[in-house]
Amino acid sequence: MNGLGSGQPLGLGTLVRLRRRQQTPDGVRRLPVPDGMTAPLGCDAVAVPDRLGPLVVPRLPRVGCVYADGAHWWWIVPSDSDYALPWPAPAHYAPGAPVPATARLIHRPEGTIPYTPPIPLYLSLCRVTGTTPDWSRAVSA
C-alpha cells in the first residue's frame, strides 16, 4: 500500500512532486495566484535577474503572471516545467513557486490562467542569455 489509498506503487515523478511541495525556506512564501485565477496544472516559477525581464517580454506569445522583488522577475509556469529541461543560467527554476516575501505582482494577464508558456519562455531566455537550447546541442558518443 502506498499510503494514498490507491494500492498502486508511487512513481518517481510523484515522489519528486511530493518532496518539492514540502520544502519552503524561511523568509520565502509560496507565490499567490491572484484572485479570480486558477492554476489547474500547479505552479512553479522561473526567476531571472530583473535586467533580463524587459528583454524577454517582447519575445513571448503570452505573458502570464510576473512578480518582481527588486532583484528578480518571477514567471509563473505549470508545475514540472523543468522536466528534462535544464533552464539556462542565470535563470533559476523554483519548484512550488517559493518566492521572497517582498515579491509583488507586476503583470497580470487577461483571463483566469496565470501561466507563461514554458517552452517560449525557455527559448526566450536562451536567446537573451546566448545559450543554445538543450535539445540543439551535439550529442557526444
Side-chain angles (χ1 to χ4, degrees):
M1 180 73 76
N2 66 18
L4 298 178
S6 70
Q8 298 295 319
L10 294 176
L12 182 58
T14 301
L15 292 172
V16 168
R17 282 189 295 279
L18 289 171
R19 177 73 178 139
R20 284 179 169 182
R21 289 188 179 108
Q22 292 175 348
Q23 302 170 343
T24 304
D26 291 337
V28 173
R29 64 182 165 100
R30 296 232 182 257
L31 197 62
V33 175
D35 289 339
M37 299 193 104
T38 62
L41 302 175
C43 281
D44 287 349
V46 177
V48 300
D50 62 354
R51 65 182 164 72
L52 295 180
L55 301 175
V56 172
V57 170
R59 299 174 183 277
L60 296 171
R62 178 183 193 281
V63 178
C65 288
V66 181
Y67 291 76
D69 67 3
H72 294 90
W73 283 24
W74 300 84
W75 306 81
I76 300 301
V77 295
S79 291
D80 301 321
S81 292
D82 64 334
Y83 181 76
L85 187 66
W87 287 78
H92 170 72
Y93 191 85
V99 299
T102 58
R104 67 189 195 321
L105 184 66
I106 62 170
H107 182 268
R108 179 189 171 134
E110 295 292 323
T112 61
I113 304 296
Y115 306 124
T116 295
I119 297 301
L121 178 59
Y122 172 81
L123 291 171
S124 297
L125 287 169
C126 285
R127 181 69 145 183
V128 301
T129 61
T131 304
T132 301
D134 194 58
W135 57 76
S136 298
R137 295 184 183 142
V139 177
S140 60

